[in-house]
Amino acid sequence: MASSEGFLTDEQRELLKLASHNVENLSSSPKSPTSFLSEHHIKAPAGGKAQTAGIAVRHVRRSHSGKLVRVKKDGAGGKGTWGKLLDTDGESHIDRNDPNYDSGEEPYQLVGSTVTDPLDEFKKAVVSIIEEYFSTGDVELAASDLRELGSSEYHPYFIKRLVSMAMDRHDKEKEMASVLLSALYADVISPAQIRDGFFMLIESADDLAVDILDAVDILALFLARAVVDDILPPAFLARAKKALPESSKGVQVIQTAEKSYLSAPHHAELVEKRWGGSTHITVEEVKRKIADLLREYVDSGDTIEACRCIRELGVSFFHHEVVKRALVLAMEIRSAEPLILKLLKEAADEGLVSSSQILKGFSRLAEGLDDLALDIPSAKSLFESLVPKAISEGWLDASFLKPSGEDGDIQVEDERLRRYKEEAVTIIHEYFLSDDIPELIRSLEDLVAPEYNPIFLKRLITLAMDRKNREKEMASVLLSALHIEIFSTEDIVNGFVMLLESAEDTALDILDASNELALFLARAVIDDVLAPLNLEEIGSRLPPKSSGSETVRMARSLIAARHAGERLLRCWGGGTGWAVEDAKDKIMKLLEEYESGGVVSEACQCIRDLGMPFFNHEVVKKALVMAMEKKNDRMLDLLQECFSEGLITINQMTKGFTRIKDGLDDLALDIPNAKEKFGFYVEHAQRKGWLLPSFDSSATDA
């Protein structure tokens, strides 16, 4: 017997050899079963550690006589069989006291356990968070609970559950759901997750409609509200529509949002008030409460009570409004200044109002000093006296007095520039109300201050950024008109440089300032207000790693994207931008109709009916391109008639020719003799007096 533990004896090896040989003989028999698969255990000699090995056998065997013999399960017994290989007496059992005991030989016991899905757990948890929020209306608590829950990758499911639960409740809960989404945006839930959550909602519109009768209309209103609140980009609607089956209710939801809510006049105000603003935590309500508590504080002088009221508002992210309104009150009621400074110092010392909120409050007020000066003439001098007091008392960071650009900052300005800024703000506000571009241009010309054009551009875009998409769209359209009529490209470039130099300060007031500035820049290129090369010039005038430089890079990326022109024309969600794009289509159709035999007077009337005189340079450009393509100079007759009637001004003519000149290289790829033809058109236009003397025709001389 082998002495080594776990090895077979010579006798056992011989038996194993014979058994294997027998199996081979049986398997070679044509009558033998096709397979012999069974496990057969071999035990080591007593005193050695049990080992196992397997040989191929089957419970139904043939004996050497060829008869079928049923064998026992372990191979023992039965006539004509080998018997159980290495039979041992008695039942095998495991002795835990054996020195060679191995716990791995214990028979396995399967213990059942419940497998939990993390997503299911998340869904259950958010239901209780939403229910509690609907009961208490505490935005900060809901945000804190969601943050502590973790599993941020499941946040789209939170959005879906929040909205779907609110859809089946009263208007109060619907309003609360929209307010909560705005509060969570970017801080707790990323913009991408907001988009994913709303897409999941739209996808499930068919299922929601089974339980909620007017699910399509309610979901469309939630979608429109998200766009109005700037938590969903307008482009999301078009992308989502393409990803859905045309027959689905999700497409109906998007169409309803676009046509019934987002295209209506004053749609932002209508959408915001559709649910009645019934939640007690709307921004306007908070502003009113802040104004009330500050008035009461000025009357009572009770600092402790005022701090308690500020704390009970539960809007720490909105404390900059407390700072701003308190400072304005100190300017309005001069005797209240010591009390106001005492309150702000106390709030800062207690940590009730953070240093960043104080800084933001001062910055917001500094930005709006020009407007405030219309009501409080001495606002700027009063503000300049308040700042050093706040810094000396230690509750305003001294970095607030950093040197900066021209607009909205503390500096000594000459009276002429001060008056210009005040007039510019008034003109812009009137434009946002009237949408009257010719009137605005006349008002600007009356100021007789072309050297301040870049300042006007900065003020225009800054004011638009703090408003709805309608005003942003109006600002972009106005830039196109101003560039044609009275602003030079240099004015536009200088204005954008000023904007980008102060981008970091602007971001204190406007959360998404960098993205919006990039959209304004990219839109200016698409509208031919700026050339792509101008972006390089603007970038070269900014510090390499500044926020402004990053914004220029973002603008380049937007322009380089696929279908950039169409997307950027609609970047503010339609409005006037849709009108510009529609106008381009109408211009092309009227020119094609005229070219195929139309009457000049009818074509002129169609151009007049467009009602966009600031956009007539597009008529000039498309007419010249069509003349080159069709090799038909009939278009020149139309331009002559338009010019003679005063329908197309000399500025518009010059702008149209300039746009063709700037794109000649690209045009020559489709029209080989484009430069030659354009040179002929320029000579003709100069003879007819269509172009300004300043028009540079050198590019056509080659």
Side-chain angles (χ1 to χ4, degrees), residues 519-573:
L519 283 171
F520 271 112
L521 259 179
R523 175 66 180 270
V525 174
I526 294 300
D527 288 342
D528 294 320
V529 174
L530 291 175
L533 285 175
N534 293 138
L535 293 186
E536 295 182 13
E537 179 186 352
I538 292 170
S540 67
R541 293 169 60 179
L542 299 168
K545 295 183 180 180
S546 65
S547 175
S549 294
E550 181 59 31
T551 299
V552 174
R553 284 192 290 272
M554 289 171 60
R556 288 199 192 102
S557 300
L558 290 170
I559 295 165
R562 214 176 152 194
H563 306 303
E566 180 181 352
R567 290 178 179 178
L568 289 169
L569 276 173
R570 302 182 180 184
C571 63
W572 308 126

Side-chain angles (χ1 to χ4, degrees), residues 201-217:
L201 272 166
I202 297 169
E203 274 188 319
S204 63
D206 293 277
D207 296 332
L208 290 170
V210 174
D211 299 321
I212 304 170
L213 186 62
D214 51 350
V216 170
D217 189 64

